[in-house]
Amino acid sequence: MISDIENLKDEIKKTVITDKESLEAFRLRFLSRKGKLQSMFGNMQNVPKKDRSRVGKAMNEVKELAETKFNTQKKALQNKKKTRFKATDDLTLPVSPEYAGSLHPLTQTENEMKNIFLRLGFDVADGPEIEDDFHNFTSLNFPPDHPARDMQDTFFIRKSDKKEVQDLVMRTHTSPVQIRLMKDQPPPIRSVIPGRVYRNEAVTAKSYFQFNQMEGLYVDHKVTMGELIETLVMFARLMYGSDVKYRVRPSFFPFTEPSIEMDVWWESDSDGQWLEILGAGMVDPNVFEACGLDPETYTGYAFGMGVDRIAMLRYGINDIRILYENDIRFLDQFTG
Amino acid sequence: MKISFNWLKNYVDINLDSREIANKLTLLGLEVEQTESFGADLEGFIVGEVLNVIEHPFADKLHLCKVSTGEKELQIVCGADNVARGQKVPVATVGSTIPKPMDDGSSLVVKKIKLRGEDSEGMICSEMELEIGQDHSGIMVLDPELQAGTDLSEALKLVKDTIFDIGLTPNRPDASCHIGVARDLAAVLQTDLNNPYKNTPGETEPLDEWIDIEIRDPKQCHRYVAKIVKNVTVEESPPWLKNQLRSIGLRPINNVVDVTNYVLHEIGQPLHAFDYEKLNDEKIVVQSYKETRSFTTLDDIERNVPAGTLFICDGKEPIAIAGVMGGLNSEVTRATQHVLIESAYFDPSSIRKTSKHLGLQTDSSYRFERGIDPNLARRAAERAAELIVEIAGGEVLNGCTDNHPVKSLPQKVGFRLKKLNNLLGTKIKIDQARKILDRLEIETRASGTDELQCTIPTFRPDLTREVDLIEEIGRIYDYNNIPSPESTPFYSPAPISDWEILKNRIRSIASRLKYKEISSNSLLSEREEGYFSSEDEQIRTLNPVSQEATTLRTSLLGGFLKILQFNLNRNAKQLRFFEIGNVYRKSDKGTWIDGIEEHTKLLLGICGFRSTENWLDKAQYFTVFDLKSDLESLLDQTSILDQLEIEFHSREELRYIQNDQVLARLIKIPDHLNEVFDIKLPAFAAEIDLTLLNKAGFGKIEKTYKEVPRFPTFEYDAAYIVDEKVTAGRLSEIIHQTAGEILHNLEVFDVFEGENLGKNKKSIAFRLTFLDPNKTLTINDVEPIVQKVTKALEQMVGAILRS
């Protein structure tokens, strides 16, 4: 009996399973109800009682062997099926890159500038783009026959011959917001004012009828030109790097006295040149008076710079029209 | 404005090179925009004496010249017919480079060559070849007194010069001439100014026998001075004068006109020279006319001069447009014998107007419109007369007619040192301040401790207030020398405004939703804006820069569609754009300005494919619901969505309303606009009024933590059959109202139409998600609510629950 069992054991071991068919043949031959194991167990009754526990144990061992072999081979066959390299197993298949949102380069530049001034203690103010003559010109000390008041330079919305009806213009600078701030609240005032401004200029690579400015205003007791220059230098260092080379030179604006402009040294491949980055000055006493502030009590400084120009320098854009074309292949370069 | 470095040296001692001077000028506020060099080197060019001229044996048109260069005799082949024995001529020796480039732009280097078999060891040059004149009719013939062998540039007094191109600010009329620039330079170099106009002229007799001057319009003409030089010889100016004028870009005319131009650029007083004998009735009348007049100016152009323009007339007719340009009828020519020099002061705004009307800016009008020194007229006229006699001979008539109806006296301005140092942040001493003012010819008198009474010279009309004097001191002191503040004050910054926060949040949300920001034009063409608004609400500029930009946008849609068109034309397939910008329309109540509503809006827009065809998926177009989802996500992130009423306005438009105001719109771009803007892919846009959103208080971020629900939700599906006109929005509204707060979420998971539902019917299947924060819900809790909902739907819109 025992030897029969041993033979069966050998037979199980020797039976080769290579595929689904031979696996099924194995099951039928050994494990099914008519299989060899079942008939082996059927012979149990012929085993003498004293041997039964020994033979039973051996039979169980054979059964276990067959079952283990069957299950292992079955799993192996299944695994074998899985390892087939399907088309979609190919991780090199391309995907479309995810469409990304982005901020316009003008916004990114403006944000960068704004953030510097926020660190320097300024807040951010806003005003309308359609302005009246008082805010855009008169209060800013523009004489009545100043060229900026020409139709050639400024977009007029309304031109009035009557004294009581003001001209309306598309603001030519963000400075009118200074006037609104000084009229609306007592000093100290410490704000930057970013925004869109308009000039009656043909569209070319160098000029556009709209562009963006950022204005700054600080009014308080005892504000000095020294502080103005210090503020502008801090801005230049944070914007262009701490080793930026700069200079300040006298200039002229109707609404500041003294007036200055600041240049930074711009390196190029061959050599460098001074590039003007902003205009500034001490608030003109006439401007204070137009806002009902006493120029003997308060002093203040103001500065203004072109966001488009700074963005163009920053990104090496040589044609201002590109900024307003909004070609997606251009905008794509400013993601992230 | 061009300023010659050499010319400046006439008035101030300069030990610095041109680069250092350019830098000084810029730091003085006379910004040097460009520096050019003027004058050729003329290295290897000498004066030669023509010893002999014979015909070239083998060429008809060439001559063989023996030329002495002092040391040597050269044979030079020359083609010019005016070459003759005994002449002194400019010779380019072998190895020198001809200044005028050849036609192809390259330079001609003189070599020893054979010309038709004859040696030629140099070149005899014309004015044009030397680039010192226009004459190319023949060789240039020099002063016979010159020594052969003399360096040509020395012989012609041609010196190399540097020309500064200064961008003059409008407040500095005094600096529009060489002496004005030299005065600033002398102040900063702390040296003296050598000013030939310094002396105040004494008493004088009018030239009544010669001329009668009448100013009929003293408002426009404050002063008119006439000086006469008789028996002049009008001819070409000497080389030094021609050269000086050429260096600053002027074309020499003749010795008389050249002198007037020289004085203009020396001291800034525009002058005009009339041929005295051409003046009718020995009269000059300064007047304007009530009607437009035709007048031929010196440049031989007949101009229509508008009424009111100031003219200089003789006894009969106009002879010059005052302050702008003289007339052809009184021009100084070679035949002129006696010259009348006009030196006047015209009102700046009058000249500005004339110059603008005529579209004609001259060196003269440029200075008058900025405001010249009203007290300079006589000195300038006298200086010109002296120079004319020096150069053109003749004799200055004693006396001078000086008609001066409007006089300008020097202004007095007080100055406090304390104010200076407080404004600039400096520690300048009174002596230092005084020294600077002195050099600028501002007279100072002490009027108290550290206070001055200043007398402003009349050539500085820009200095009227203390702060103007502070600027003068500041710019000579150099702003770059202002010390850094000793301590930085501690600022207490104001909080960032809600408006600023809102705009930043919106930008950040929109870009997170994968929209790219665009920046479109505020001005559209009439036609483009006409698609979005009616004429009576539009605002237009009175003076558009082009027909493409006449009308202010009332919405951001037009700009968006134009940008879509631009990108689709370049084969873009997938576009998601946003823009924040102002829009403007006429309105009863204004936002900032009466009658004008100016709001800031946000546009979200999509166009084309959500996904293009790839191996995973088929191509899918965007639908309006893609945009709706983003719009509502944005509104939800600004915490306002729950408070909006949604109005199904039309098949093309859904509105989000708060307090009867349209806060946002969702728009399917209609076919006719797609056609107009050539948009061949589906496009959708949404516009949100940020001004209203901010007013409603949604700029603030006020978030409070709410406990996350601990109990699970319970989902229940229910489909209703309704009439096709009943909207999902209406059903949702009823469901929400009826179910109350326990209804946590409501989704539509299926919509369909079909014959089996009945005619004009549709089915909408909802998934209701219930949540009770205090317990786990069971079917027993939910079923009664659903029944209530079903009943409400049935009663209100005739909905039938599908089993």
Side-chain angles (χ1 to χ4, degrees):
Chain A
M1 190 69 208
I2 288 290
S3 65
D4 287 348
I5 293 170
E6 285 301 319
N7 286 342
L8 188 57
K9 209 174 177 177
D10 276 353
E11 198 185 331
I12 289 170
K13 277 183 183 166
K14 278 176 187 154
T15 308
V16 182
I17 302 173
T18 54
D19 50 22
K20 238 170 138 182
E21 285 71 36
S22 47
L23 180 73
E24 182 59 10
F26 181 86
R27 189 186 67 82
L28 288 171
R29 187 158 150 205
F30 300 110
L31 293 167
S32 67
R33 266 201 290 168
K34 288 176 183 169
K36 289 197 173 175
L37 281 170
Q38 205 53 47
S39 59
M40 180 183 71
F41 280 113
N43 287 336
M44 194 60 164
Q45 59 204 45
N46 303 330
V47 176
K49 244 185 187 151
K50 62 173 171 64
D51 291 338
R52 269 195 189 169
S53 84
R54 195 165 50 90
V55 171
K57 200 180 163 200
M59 281 183 172
N60 275 328
E61 269 176 33
V62 175
K63 188 191 171 201
E64 218 175 288
L65 177 77
E67 280 175 344
T68 306
K69 179 161 182 168
F70 177 78
N71 286 331
T72 318
Q73 291 300 324
K74 189 179 168 188
K75 218 172 238 172
L77 276 177
Q78 275 169 353
N79 283 347
K80 208 170 168 185
K81 209 159 112 193
K82 264 196 199 141
T83 54
R84 216 198 98 222
F85 188 66
K86 287 192 297 182
T88 53
D89 286 342
D90 178 4
L91 294 181
T92 70
L93 278 168
V95 292
S96 349
E98 193 56 35
Y99 188 101
S102 63
L103 298 182
H104 195 277
L106 284 171
T107 302
Q108 295 189 27
T109 308
E110 186 185 295
N111 283 347
E112 209 171 321
M113 294 160 70
K114 229 162 31 182
N115 286 335
I116 291 172
F117 287 111
L118 289 174
R119 288 174 69 188
L120 299 180
F122 287 79
D123 58 45
V124 183
D126 192 21
E129 292 174 14
I130 297 180
E131 269 294 5
D132 56 29
D133 174 88
F134 174 79
H135 287 95
N136 197 72
F137 292 128
T138 303
S139 61
L140 288 161
N141 200 30
F142 280 77
D145 56 353
H146 192 279
R149 293 180 170 215
D150 263 14
M151 299 280 267
Q152 270 169 14
D153 293 345
T154 300
F155 288 127
F156 280 82
I157 297 300
R158 182 170 76 203
K159 195 112 175 111
S160 156
D161 295 328
K162 284 184 252 166
K163 250 201 153 158
E164 64 276 14
V165 182
Q166 287 197 60
D167 289 352
L168 294 182
V169 299
M170 301 299 291
R171 68 175 176 195
T172 56
H173 45 187
T174 40
S175 309
V177 186
Q178 286 183 24
I179 304 296
R180 292 183 178 274
L181 288 175
M182 285 191 272
K183 282 177 77 79
D184 286 356
Q185 64 192 80
I189 298 164
R190 201 175 164 82
S191 300
V192 288
I193 305 135
R196 195 175 261 200
V197 301
Y198 302 85
R199 303 270 166 95
N200 192 349
E201 281 180 2
V203 173
T204 69
K206 291 209 160 32
S207 70
Y208 209 88
F209 57 77
Q210 66 190 14
F211 56 98
N212 298 273
Q213 273 192 345
M214 187 177 289
E215 186 96 1
L217 175 71
Y218 177 36
V219 178
D220 205 343
H221 301 285
K222 294 181 181 168
V223 178
T224 70
M225 187 109 173
E227 284 177 83
L228 165 61
I229 294 171
E230 188 76 357
T231 304
L232 299 179
V233 170
M234 281 194 275
F235 168 77
R237 288 202 176 125
L238 291 170
M239 192 79 194
Y240 300 106
S242 51
D243 55 348
V244 66
K245 206 172 126 194
Y246 62 87
R247 73 176 181 193
V248 168
R249 57 187 165 76
S251 188
F252 173 75
F253 307 105
F255 35 93
T256 49
E257 185 84 5
S259 302
I260 54 169
E261 284 179 313
M262 188 185 225
D263 301 334
V264 297
W265 185 255
W266 206 260
E267 296 283 348
S268 62
D269 292 343
S270 48
D271 56 21
Q273 57 175 327
W274 287 109
L275 281 185
E276 177 207 319
I277 54 159
L278 58 89
M282 304 306 290
V283 178
D284 193 286
N286 292 350
V287 174
F288 278 136
E289 271 158 23
C291 300
L293 295 176
D294 178 8
E296 285 294 311
T297 311
Y298 293 109
T299 55
Y301 63 67
F303 55 82
M305 45 193 126
V307 179
D308 301 48
R309 190 179 150 76
I310 292 180
M312 287 168 75
L313 276 176
R314 203 160 189 68
Y315 303 121
I317 297 166
N318 53 10
D319 186 335
I320 188 170
R321 291 172 292 199
I322 293 172
L323 291 172
Y324 299 100
E325 258 172 18
N326 300 287
D327 191 319
I328 192 154
R329 295 163 297 180
F330 168 74
L331 299 173
D332 260 337
Q333 298 172 28
F334 297 92
T335 51
Chain B
M1 183 190 59
K2 288 185 169 173
I3 292 291
S4 142
F5 186 33
N6 287 346
W7 199 338
L8 283 178
K9 290 177 187 162
N10 293 342
Y11 317 110
V12 58
D13 285 337
I14 295 172
N15 297 320
L16 303 173
D17 66 23
S18 60
R19 264 186 59 177
E20 290 165 311
I21 291 298
N23 192 39
K24 288 267 182 231
L25 291 173
T26 297
L27 292 178
L28 276 165
L30 305 174
E31 187 190 3
V32 176
E33 291 171 340
Q34 219 179 339
T35 307
E36 301 156 19
S37 68
F38 173 80
D41 267 330
L42 294 185
E43 216 183 311
F45 288 72
I46 49 164
V47 177
E49 185 179 353
V50 183
L51 300 175
N52 195 18
V53 180
I54 56 166
E55 296 305 306
H56 192 292
F58 312 113
D60 288 350
K61 290 183 177 163
L62 296 179
H63 315 280
L64 293 184
C65 310
K66 277 266 175 296
V67 180
S68 160
T69 62
E71 297 166 351
K72 280 198 284 185
E73 276 182 26
L74 305 173
Q75 171 167 289
I76 298 175
V77 175
C78 175
D81 285 332
N82 66 333
V83 66
R85 183 178 174 163
Q87 283 172 338
K88 298 278 166 56
V89 291
V91 174
T93 56
V94 170
S96 62
T97 305
I98 302 299
K100 185 178 164 53
M102 296 196 289
D103 289 343
D104 65 355
S106 65
S107 307
L108 173 64
V109 178
V110 178
K111 287 182 195 139
K112 185 174 171 177
I113 48 166
K114 266 195 188 343
L115 269 172
R116 301 273 184 109
E118 290 290 341
D119 282 338
S120 185
E121 303 172 85
M123 189 169 151
I124 305 176
C125 303
S126 69
E127 276 188 15
M128 204 173 198
E129 283 158 344
L130 294 173
E131 284 200 317
I132 56 175
Q134 301 300 313
D135 192 356
H136 61 282
S137 60
I139 54 157
M140 185 180 183
V141 181
L142 303 172
D143 186 346
E145 303 294 313
L146 291 169
Q147 283 290 314
T150 311
D151 206 39
L152 186 65
S153 51
E154 200 187 310
L156 292 175
K157 300 196 162 56
L158 290 179
V159 266
K160 269 202 89 166
D161 199 353
T162 303
I163 307 304
F164 306 118
D165 205 339
I166 293 178
L168 196 63
T169 53
N171 60 329
R172 293 297 308 279
D174 66 292
S176 67
C177 59
H178 283 79
I179 289 181
V181 172
R183 183 184 294 116
D184 266 19
L185 213 45
V188 79
L189 299 173
Q190 303 184 31
T191 177
D192 290 333
L193 177 72
N194 166 27
N195 184 351
Y197 296 80
K198 193 75 186 157
N199 299 332
T200 324
E203 288 298 306
T204 186
E205 290 295 310
L207 301 162
D208 287 345
E209 275 179 37
W210 285 73
I211 193 82
D212 176 27
I213 292 173
E214 187 191 343
I215 300 176
R216 290 202 185 145
D217 193 342
K219 257 193 172 166
Q220 292 195 69
C221 176
H222 297 188
R223 188 180 193 183
Y224 198 101
V225 170
K227 189 88 189 154
I228 293 175
V229 183
K230 60 178 186 180
N231 297 325
V232 294
T233 311
V234 179
E235 56 183 11
E236 229 177 285
S237 290
W240 73 266
L241 180 53
K242 285 200 287 187
N243 203 43
Q244 195 69 87
L245 295 179
R246 278 194 195 114
S247 74
I248 56 168
L250 297 179
R251 189 168 56 90
I253 313 276
N254 58 48
N255 47 9
V256 170
V257 175
D258 290 353
V259 164
T260 60
N261 280 332
Y262 182 80
V263 171
L264 167 98
H265 289 278
E266 182 177 52
I267 192 64
Q269 169 72 54
L271 303 173
H272 188 66
F274 293 106
D275 183 332
Y276 173 77
E277 278 158 319
K278 290 181 187 161
L279 303 182
N280 289 300
D281 309 335
E282 294 162 6
K283 236 182 140 162
I284 281 184
V285 182
V286 185
Q287 63 174 347
S288 52
Y289 293 93
K290 288 204 172 86
E291 68 280 1
T292 303
R293 289 190 73 101
S294 163
F295 182 73
T296 305
T297 40
L298 273 175
D299 49 7
D300 207 3
I301 294 175
E302 193 179 326
R303 298 173 190 272
N304 270 326
V305 185
T309 303
L310 195 66
F311 276 106
I312 311 301
C313 310
D314 59 13
K316 208 173 111 198
E317 58 182 1
I319 51 172
I321 302 172
V324 180
M325 198 181 263
L328 200 60
N329 54 4
S330 57
E331 187 187 18
V332 170
T333 64
R334 303 227 164 195
T336 300
Q337 231 188 328
H338 311 315
V339 173
L340 183 141
I341 303 161
E342 164 199 293
S343 182
Y345 181 91
F346 300 115
D347 175 54
S349 61
S350 141
I351 303 299
R352 188 176 310 131
K353 226 184 276 167
T354 305
S355 161
K356 225 179 77 186
H357 273 309
L358 297 176
L360 177 63
Q361 198 190 50
T362 59
D363 280 347
S364 209
S365 69
Y366 176 83
R367 282 159 184 86
F368 278 124
E369 59 183 59
R370 283 163 184 249
I372 61 160
D373 182 355
N375 291 321
L376 185 68
R378 227 185 98 195
R379 275 176 288 166
E382 279 166 5
R383 166 100 169 142
E386 281 162 28
L387 283 173
I388 288 173
V389 172
E390 211 178 296
I391 289 165
E395 184 189 334
V396 184
L397 286 189
N398 267 333
C400 149
T401 297
D402 184 354
N403 219 334
H404 199 171
V406 182
K407 296 201 164 62
S408 304
L409 293 172
Q411 300 290 311
K412 300 245 193 282
V413 177
F415 168 83
R416 296 163 294 173
L417 187 71
K418 200 178 153 204
K419 186 77 188 170
L420 167 85
N421 284 324
N422 279 351
L423 194 65
L424 297 187
T426 46
K427 288 176 181 163
I428 294 172
K429 299 258 170 17
I430 191 74
D431 289 346
Q432 200 180 352
R434 236 176 143 162
K435 218 175 258 172
I436 291 173
L437 293 172
D438 276 351
R439 294 224 183 265
L440 295 173
E441 297 178 36
I442 297 163
E443 274 176 45
T444 57
R445 193 168 54 80
S447 65
T449 316
D450 287 345
E451 288 185 17
L452 300 172
Q453 183 71 13
C454 303
T455 307
I456 310 298
T458 49
F459 59 76
R460 290 303 302 268
D462 59 314
L463 307 182
T464 58
R465 304 167 302 169
E466 183 181 42
V467 68
D468 300 326
L469 295 176
I470 292 174
E471 178 173 56
E472 287 307 290
I473 296 169
R475 78 186 171 86
I476 303 295
Y477 178 80
D478 188 344
Y479 298 126
N480 295 289
N481 291 330
I482 296 179
S484 284
E486 281 166 13
S487 62
T488 313
F490 179 79
Y491 302 117
S492 35
I496 297 185
S497 68
D498 293 345
W499 177 229
E500 181 63 19
I501 292 171
L502 177 68
K503 282 189 292 181
N504 285 337
R505 281 177 71 197
I506 295 290
R507 280 207 166 86
S508 141
I509 294 169
S511 54
R512 265 186 276 138
L513 288 169
K514 300 180 182 175
Y515 287 71
K516 281 188 207 297
E517 189 179 22
I518 53 175
S519 184
S520 73
N521 289 346
S522 305
L523 292 157
L524 299 171
S525 75
E526 218 175 290
R527 182 183 61 86
E528 287 159 353
E529 181 50 40
Y531 298 121
F532 306 101
S533 55
S534 64
E535 218 171 293
D536 54 334
E537 56 185 338
Q538 289 167 5
I539 298 168
R540 297 195 182 159
T541 69
L542 302 176
N543 49 334
V545 64
S546 77
Q547 290 311 307
E548 294 303 300
T550 60
T551 311
L552 274 73
R553 59 187 179 192
T554 60
S555 84
L556 301 175
L557 279 170
F560 167 64
L561 295 181
K562 280 177 78 173
I563 291 168
L564 284 189
Q565 180 179 17
F566 182 93
N567 280 290
L568 294 175
N569 283 345
R570 282 154 187 79
N571 266 327
K573 295 264 183 285
Q574 185 184 33
L575 300 164
R576 276 195 198 92
F577 287 142
F578 84 97
E579 178 169 20
I580 293 180
N582 285 14
V583 301
Y584 331 76
R585 67 173 77 232
K586 287 184 194 155
S587 149
D588 296 337
K589 44 182 184 174
T591 315
W592 301 83
I593 303 283
D594 281 346
I596 293 177
E597 183 189 274
E598 181 174 336
H599 279 199
T600 304
K601 294 218 171 171
L602 163 72
L603 174 130
L604 292 176
I606 57 177
C607 177
F609 293 89
R610 184 201 303 148
S611 56
T612 45
E613 188 177 353
N614 62 31
W615 60 271
L616 273 172
D617 284 305
K618 286 217 167 88
Q620 271 187 318
Y621 285 117
F622 278 125
T623 71
V624 70
F625 297 104
D626 290 313
L627 181 60
K628 186 182 178 189
S629 153
D630 290 337
L631 170 65
E632 294 198 352
S633 167
L634 182 132
L635 292 170
D636 188 42
Q637 288 182 62
T638 40
S639 319
I640 195 172
L641 187 59
D642 292 346
Q643 302 181 35
L644 297 176
E645 211 180 292
I646 297 174
E647 182 196 298
F648 184 61
H649 184 73
S650 73
R651 282 191 215 191
E652 268 102 30
E653 185 170 334
L654 190 68
R655 292 182 167 180
Y656 296 76
I657 294 171
Q658 199 213 20
N659 297 335
D660 296 332
Q661 281 178 305
V662 179
L663 199 119
R665 302 190 295 156
L666 174 74
I667 299 155
K668 279 188 188 173
I669 305 300
D671 291 345
H672 73 276
L673 286 183
N674 284 331
E675 214 159 284
V676 166
F677 288 93
D678 198 20
I679 293 167
K680 298 207 171 70
L681 294 173
F684 311 97
E687 210 177 28
I688 298 139
D689 192 322
L690 296 184
T691 303
L692 289 181
L693 196 63
N694 185 52
K695 260 194 206 147
F698 288 93
K700 291 191 183 68
I701 310 180
E702 278 171 359
K703 289 191 195 284
T704 324
Y705 161 72
K706 267 185 260 161
E707 202 186 346
V708 176
R710 282 181 296 139
F711 296 97
T713 54
F714 192 97
E715 286 177 2
Y716 193 101
D717 292 350
Y720 296 97
I721 298 168
V722 288
D723 191 82
E724 64 181 6
K725 291 216 174 72
V726 177
T727 64
R730 178 78 183 119
L731 296 178
S732 303
E733 211 176 274
I734 298 169
I735 296 171
H736 270 293
Q737 276 166 7
T738 315
E741 295 228 326
I742 195 167
L743 180 62
H744 180 62
N745 194 25
L746 184 63
E747 278 170 61
V748 172
F749 67 88
D750 193 21
V751 176
F752 73 94
E753 303 160 298
E755 282 299 312
N756 54 338
L757 294 175
K759 212 179 171 199
N760 302 333
K761 296 279 180 197
K762 64 182 172 187
S763 159
I764 301 182
F766 289 95
R767 175 158 299 150
L768 297 86
T769 307
F770 294 94
L771 176 74
D772 188 322
N774 301 316
K775 64 173 189 186
T776 301
L777 291 171
T778 66
I779 185 73
N780 296 331
D781 299 310
V782 168
E783 223 163 31
I785 303 170
V786 176
Q787 278 164 13
K788 235 168 86 186
V789 165
T790 305
K791 207 165 170 196
L793 290 173
E794 194 185 323
Q795 280 170 0
M796 295 170 86
V797 291
I800 298 160
L801 180 72
R802 287 177 75 213
S803 49

